[in-house]
Amino acid sequence: MSANAELQQPQQPANKKKKRKTALIFLAVVFIVIGIAYLTYWFLVLRHYQETDDAYVAGNQVQVMAQVSGSVNKVWFDDTDYVKKGDVLITLDKTDAEQAFEKAQTALATSVRQTHQLMINGKQYQATIELQKTALAQAEADLKRREPLGSANLIGREELQHSRDAVATAKAQLDVAVQQYNANQAMIMNTSLENQPAVKQSAAELRDAWLALQRTEIVSPMDGFVSRRSVQVGSQITSSTPLLAVVPAKNLWVDANFKETQLANVRIGQPATVVSDIYGDDVVYHGKVVGLDMGTGSAFSLLPAQNATGNWIKVVQRLPVRIELDAGQVEKHPLRIGLSTLVKVDTQNTDGMVLANSVRQTPAYESNALALDLAPANQMIADIIRANAG
């Protein structure tokens, strides 16, 4: 028994070494297989993706400003409130605008009456011309009868001269009447009353006054949420005073600031995924590259770097790449401007353009909320002209 024990003791370390060697070889093979698999996956998939966490949600911030000056009477909405296109945001004091509107109405009525008087004067001048023609014909007839009598010395030379002077006077009076008629015609030019320049000018001033009165109510140009409200009740504002901003919850995008070393294969139209910090990995937004900016952030900064002076250290620049998000996902999971995101772009397909080469045929954004229908003002002008035309 002792001899067998002595024979088994040297074999135990040898078995342990053999097992350890087998395990190490197995682990080495596993790591090699994993490495080869990872390299294959990187070569086939991962190397075609560019990723950055220097990416932020962006959107439109519609700055609302008044179109007329005035004093603020009412502020209808506050920050975070939802507004719809056309909703009244701010109301200005209407007193001055109403006074100007009434003055414009009176000015139009006065202009119509004065112009109508000019048109009536034209008929009066025509009658005067006919009267002066009759007077001239009578004077010429009197002269014609007196000339033979003067030649025969049957009337005095003074009487004959008076007849000649009467003809000259009648001709001059006829010329005056004709010139007065021509001057009047130069003012009215055979144009209808509503198309007379003075009437049209007064009508335009009335429209301006009506527009100014309507614009005392400042409306929202689009649907969105109120933000950055600075206007207060009682403030005296002008057309250049920022009042508040309306931020639409739709049409949001992501500005992903990729390093310049990552942009070699980035093309317009490539698919992208976006993960926002507010939702985490639970929500993955799908989008696409719609454009690359024409300058880096440092180039467009307020004080661009002057690399041509002093000591210089190369810094890798970043270029904003716009990622358009799926509208349905954004509606389901709303985002906010400025939120941090993680963007990953699939650059495998490089058939797209580096820069856009087509011209946009439709407006990028539009709103008719600020457009006013002039039909009520035009109807009012027509009524005033009709009432004062006589």
Side-chain angles (χ1 to χ4, degrees), residues 14 20 40-41 81 92 169 171 201 254 258 267 312 317:
R20 186 182 300 114
T40 302
Y41 182 68
D81 286 343
L92 304 181
T169 300
K171 286 182 179 180
Q201 180 179 354
V254 171
F258 285 97
R267 300 290 187 272
W312 172 73
Q317 301 297 311

Side-chain angles (χ1 to χ4, degrees), residues 93 115-116 123 135 221 244 266 317 375 383 390:
D93 180 28
T115 304
H116 188 229
K123 297 179 181 179
L244 51 85
V266 175
Q317 301 297 311
D383 294 340

Side-chain angles (χ1 to χ4, degrees), residues 44-58:
L44 296 177
V45 179
L46 292 183
R47 73 186 183 96
H48 297 299
Y49 285 88
Q50 297 295 337
E51 182 178 316
T52 182
D53 58 358
D54 186 0
Y56 303 92
V57 179

